[in-house]
């Protein structure tokens, strides 16, 4: 079932007749299992990029036996080209707090944390007050749950969930081995639900509008809508909530400047789609999944510079813990520089591609595993720009 | 007891004497002193009863937890792709010329440090820079220079 581009207003919608707090009151009256069933039925998958079914995550954590469990909101939005979580935090923070509280009720948590990147600390001026009010309101209602802010300090890798836990525990933000998964052993090695900012808002909204209405949007594999961060060569950069499952061609017809030659879908760690593939690329879990970053490049841009920029980014942001990622990122960067200068023959790009295959298998976390996405999609589609 | 030691004592008291408090304590010190001095790190280790190597290990991992002296105002210009496309090089050059320092350096009066940063999350409004905790999107060279000018007027 092919979809066309459709703008939606769920995340930022302000419904005067039904405030987030009213949704909270109503939802806390319902049995926890029923809420989980609704979430599973809605088909909501994580909006941070990895796309794990949210209802299952909550269910697994609920099923763990532990006196202490945690709800964590991952607001360490660091993927280049992504800025939607900042906007959500700024405009509808209460919907996030409510989503966290519903989750806490479902899994049995008494503490929740919002881990927000240090680059967004300026938001705290207004957010801390709103959170204090919300916490006070919970205490007044007799809900045994409190939320706290934690700040990051400028490390992209801390958006990886286990690195985020390490950082919260006062350590270097180095990802852990998995399993165990966070649902079993997350923050402080206790069962933890960690959800992206946007995902938590959707849980609130699904509790508000019901799974049926959410399911009406999107496709079988990609239910609902998603907030997109649109940047680059577009006359209308910004944040847009769109129905999932649209062809990239529809997207570019709306947002392009008429001269788009490529779109980087999913940020630096995502895939680069060239113009000739716009019409048969679907935005969603059945096509190219995305954390929401859409960077448009027109024909005036050098794709070598784009790839070089991404590789520099990964080389700097690799935590350095595992060799495939630490050395791999450096070698990819040096490799394309050498090919460009003519120090290495064009065929050397094939060796570099093999290196990304090794990184995909051997790197410890998503950072190193996904460097091959931009590398291969840019090298394969714009080889002449990399070489000449 | 030095002012640094007193500040660390106070930060530990407010955040709790546990390993999990290390990040907020270090962030608190940077807020006050712009960087983590050896004295500060030694003092944190003592207060939290952990090895100073562990304090340094954590501190040295994070870009915003500097272990070398920084100026009172830390400028971080975003250098990632969209800001690159929108002209971050011109902004960096203009700031560098105005402050007479290169990227990574601090002015002799210790008022400004000029740095670059990876994606700051304002790709639709680039180029963008962060000064301490405050964000300045939609920059032009003139705007950037005005902003720096306003910071230099502030009481030292």
């Amino acid at each position: 079932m092919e979809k066309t581009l459709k703008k939606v207003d769920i995340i930022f919608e302000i419904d005067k007749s039904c405030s987030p707090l009213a949704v909270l009151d109503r939802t806390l009256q319902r049995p926890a299992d029923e809420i989980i069933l609704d979430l599973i039925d809605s088909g909501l998958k994580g909006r941070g990029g990895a796309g794990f079914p949210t209802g299952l995550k909550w269910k697994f954590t609920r099923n763990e036996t532990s006196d202490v469990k945690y709800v964590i909101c991952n607001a360490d939005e660091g993927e280049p080209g992504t800025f939607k979580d900042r906007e959500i935090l700024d405009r509808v923070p209460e919907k996030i707090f409510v989503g966290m509280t519903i989750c806490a009720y479902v899994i049995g948590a008494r503490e929740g944390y919002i881990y927000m990147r240090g680059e967004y600390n300026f938001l705290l001026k207004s957010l801390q007050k709103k959170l204090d009010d919300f916490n006070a309101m919970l205490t007044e209602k007799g809900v045994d749950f409190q939320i706290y802010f934690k700040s990051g300090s400028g490390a992209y890798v801390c958006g990886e969930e286990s690195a985020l836990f390490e950082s919260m525990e006062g350590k270097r933000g180095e990802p852990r081995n998995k399993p165990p998964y966070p649902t079993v052993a997350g923050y402080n090695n206790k069962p933890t639900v960690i959800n992206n900012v946007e995902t938590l808002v959707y849980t609130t909204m699904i509790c508000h509008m019901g799974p049926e209405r959410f399911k009406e949007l999107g496709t079988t594999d990609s239910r609902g809508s998603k907030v997109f961060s649109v940047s680059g060569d577009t006359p209308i950069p910004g944040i847009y909530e769109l129905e999932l499952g649209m062809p990239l061609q529809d997207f570019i017809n709306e947002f392009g400047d008429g001269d788009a030659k490529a779109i980087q879908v999913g940020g630096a760690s995502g895939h680069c789609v060239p113009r000739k593939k716009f019409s048969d690329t679907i935005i969603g879990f059945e096509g190219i999944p995305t954390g929401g970053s859409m960077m448009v490049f027109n024909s005036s841009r050098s794709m070598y510079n784009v790839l070089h920029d991404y590789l520099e980014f990964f080389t700097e942001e690799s935590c350095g813990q595992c060799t495939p990622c630490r050395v791999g990122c450096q070698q990819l960067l040096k490799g394309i520089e050498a090919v460009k200068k003519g120090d290495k023959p064009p065929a050397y790009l094939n060796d570099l591609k093999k290196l990304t295959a090794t990184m995909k298998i051997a790197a410890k976390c998503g950072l190193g595993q996904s460097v091959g996405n931009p590398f291969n999609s840019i090298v394969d589609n714009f080889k002449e720009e990399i070489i000449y | 007891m030095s002012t640094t030691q007193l500040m660390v004592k106070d930060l530990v008291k407010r955040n709790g004497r546990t390993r999990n408090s290390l990040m907020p304590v270090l962030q608190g010190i940077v807020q006050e002193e712009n960087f983590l001095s050896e004295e500060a790190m030694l003092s944190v280790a003592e207060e939290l009863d952990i090895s100073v190597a562990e304090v340094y290990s954590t501190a040295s991992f994070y870009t915003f937890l500097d272990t070398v002296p920084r100026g009172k105002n830390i400028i971080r210009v975003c250098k990632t792709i969209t800001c690159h496309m929108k002209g971050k090089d011109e902004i960096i050059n203009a700031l560098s010329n105005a402050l007479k320092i290169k990227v990574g350096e601090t002015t002799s009066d210790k008022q400004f440090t000029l740095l670059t940063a990876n994606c700051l999350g304002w790709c639709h409004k680039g180029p963008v820079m962060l000064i301490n905790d405050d964000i300045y999107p939609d920059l032009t060279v003139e705007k950037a220079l005005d902003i720096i000018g306003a910071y230099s007027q502030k009481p030292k």
Side-chain angles (χ1 to χ4, degrees), chain B residues 28-41:
Chain B
I29 299 169
V30 171
Q31 198 72 254
E32 290 298 318
E33 302 194 331
N34 308 321
F35 83 110
L36 300 166
S37 62
E38 202 175 307
E39 185 193 11
M41 286 188 275

Side-chain angles (χ1 to χ4, degrees), chain A residues 81 83 86 117 122 125 151-154 167 169-173 187-188 231-232 295 297 309 313 316-317, chain B residues 19-20 22-23 27 57-58 61-64 79 81-82 85-86 118-124 133-134:
Chain A
F83 40 92
R86 172 176 50 71
R117 67 187 307 211
F122 65 94
K125 282 175 205 153
S151 278
S153 271
S167 177
E169 292 172 18
K171 301 173 197 152
R172 293 168 73 82
Y187 178 49
N188 289 338
S231 67
M295 288 187 271
F297 303 112
D309 191 279
F313 174 83
E316 283 175 23
E317 296 294 343
Chain B
R19 174 62 193 254
N20 284 11
L22 183 54
M23 286 287 283
Q27 287 162 343
S57 152
T58 296
F61 186 84
Y62 297 91
T63 317
F64 286 12
K79 64 168 182 173
I81 192 70
T82 21
M85 287 156 58
K86 305 280 178 205
N118 282 325
C119 191
L120 295 173
W122 290 82
C123 316
H124 58 324
D133 276 349
D134 292 315

Side-chain angles (χ1 to χ4, degrees), chain A residues 129-183:
Chain A
K129 168 85 174 64
K130 289 177 187 161
L131 183 62
D132 292 345
D133 291 349
F134 187 84
N135 280 334
M137 182 276 302
L138 288 180
T139 309
E140 209 173 287
K141 282 187 196 291
V143 180
D144 187 10
F145 179 64
Q146 294 283 288
I147 302 174
Y148 309 91
F149 274 114
K150 288 265 183 188
S151 278
S153 271
Y156 166 75
V157 72
C158 287
E160 199 280 339
E161 52 193 19
S162 63
L164 188 150
F165 302 143
E166 292 286 303
S167 177
M168 282 180 60
E169 292 172 18
K171 301 173 197 152
R172 293 168 73 82
E174 293 175 348
R176 300 173 182 169
N177 283 323
K178 291 182 199 176
Y181 291 98
T183 51

Side-chain angles (χ1 to χ4, degrees), chain A residues 100 225 312 332 372:
Chain A
M100 292 177 74
S225 47
E312 251 183 3
L332 291 174

